[in-house]
Amino acid sequence: MASSILRTEKLCKSFSNGGNQQHVIKNLDLEITEGDFTVIMGSSGSGKSTLLYALSGMDKPTLGKIYFGDTQIQDYSNDQLAMFRRGSCGFVFQSVYLLDDQTVLDNVLTGALIVQKNTPELVNKVKDLLRKVGLDEEDWKKYPNQLSGGEAQRVGIVRAIINEPKILFADEPAGALNSASSRDVLDIFTEIHKNGQSIVMVTHDMKTALRGTRVLYLRDGGVVGDYRMKPYTDDDKQTRRAGLAAFLEEMGW
């Protein structure tokens, strides 16, 4: 049985808004098991991204506990959180945030060298991953402004997984892409999940959500729905879509 990789107890996140407290996440108890592809959905303002940032150590909760394995991280200092993210997490965002003055190869190597030594084995690993996401040697010397949106996002994915994170966090990774590039990026997520990567992804898009094995639906800062699916294959796409659509309709999506 898969073990828990991430867990919260009574998690709360509030913001001050004109002297009033806005409670975005409210007393949330959540458990994510190793190997899950968890998708977080909900209407605008439901707390999706706020939850993702809290779970990943990018933002501190107001109250409650966050367990990464057996370790509590909610009281970590900023330096400790940076070390935690560096060693345990990968991040893919809607905007890729590549370094403009570095080539594709150097962008990934820069991320890798934060935690790994510069060795021929590491360089070969980077090149192998770039090939696996469809970027050939002719692309490695390109700069970000020479890439399409889909190509840039592939570089971002390789940069996120090069250090073999325990969890990959993604916030609308295909949100800014055309339909063909979006499918290519989602195929990569499906493949790395198949290889054992734990993923937590925020999306408002049903096509993206179909790739998960679990869909959490947030409303008013709490989980009001929890839908499970088998790992994604193209063969069961129609059945999968019908089941997820029925769940989302029940949630009021």
Side-chain angles (χ1 to χ4, degrees):
M1 190 172 180
S3 59
S4 172
I5 191 170
L6 189 59
R7 180 168 58 90
T8 70
E9 291 181 0
K10 305 298 182 186
L11 189 70
C12 299
K13 180 63 181 181
S14 301
F15 298 96
S16 180
N17 185 9
N20 298 318
Q21 286 294 105
Q22 181 181 0
H23 304 288
V24 182
I25 302 296
K26 304 173 186 176
N27 293 317
L28 182 63
D29 293 331
L30 176 63
E31 184 172 12
I32 294 171
T33 56
E34 190 172 4
D36 267 354
F37 189 160
T38 302
V39 177
I40 302 173
M41 299 188 76
S43 61
S44 178
S46 60
K48 302 186 297 295
S49 294
T50 300
L51 176 58
L52 186 81
Y53 296 154
L55 293 177
S56 63
M58 292 183 67
D59 195 10
K60 293 185 178 183
T62 306
L63 293 170
K65 298 178 181 179
I66 302 174
Y67 290 87
F68 196 86
D70 295 326
T71 304
Q72 290 187 46
I73 68 167
Q74 75 279 348
D75 294 326
Y76 275 6
S77 68
N78 289 334
D79 287 344
Q80 288 174 313
L81 284 173
M83 290 295 293
F84 160 72
R85 293 192 301 268
R86 192 175 298 167
S88 300
C89 305
F91 298 92
V92 180
F93 301 101
Q94 183 170 330
S95 297
V96 188
Y97 303 115
L98 297 177
L99 299 172
D100 292 336
D101 60 347
Q102 294 193 3
T103 64
V104 165
L105 186 61
D106 288 339
N107 259 283
V108 179
L109 278 171
T110 297
L113 292 172
I114 292 173
V115 296
Q116 302 184 58
K117 292 182 179 180
N118 191 356
T119 63
E121 290 78 15
L122 176 60
V123 175
N124 289 334
K125 180 182 177 183
V126 170
K127 292 178 178 179
D128 184 50
L129 284 173
L130 288 170
R131 289 190 190 99
K132 285 181 178 178
V133 300
L135 293 169
D136 297 321
E137 192 166 349
E138 62 194 38
D139 299 312
W140 303 344
K141 296 179 181 180
K142 291 181 179 178
Y143 289 87
N145 64 3
Q146 298 173 301
L147 302 174
S148 68
E151 289 170 338
Q153 192 60 287
R154 294 181 203 185
V155 179
I157 293 171
V158 173
R159 184 182 58 186
I161 64 175
I162 189 62
N163 291 322
E164 300 178 6
K166 294 178 181 177
I167 295 188
L168 177 62
F169 293 96
D171 193 353
E172 298 287 7
L177 305 178
N178 62 37
S179 57
S181 295
S182 175
R183 180 180 175 84
D184 290 343
V185 164
L186 294 176
D187 284 346
I188 294 168
F189 272 90
T190 297
E191 186 64 25
I192 61 178
H193 172 250
K194 188 186 301 181
N195 292 333
Q197 179 68 60
S198 303
I199 301 173
V200 178
M201 176 189 293
V202 164
T203 188
H204 70 279
D205 178 63
M206 186 169 157
K207 287 182 180 178
T208 302
L210 283 171
R211 302 304 183 110
T213 56
R214 183 187 188 191
V215 177
L216 300 175
Y217 197 88
L218 264 61
R219 184 184 301 128
D220 298 328
V223 174
V224 296
D226 188 342
Y227 183 72
R228 304 274 181 163
M229 298 182 286
K230 295 179 180 179
Y232 177 89
T233 66
D234 280 333
D235 294 338
D236 73 343
K237 186 163 56 176
Q238 296 305 318
T239 303
R240 193 181 192 86
R241 181 186 298 274
L244 180 56
F247 166 74
L248 292 175
E249 183 177 4
E250 181 182 348
M251 294 295 100
W253 182 70

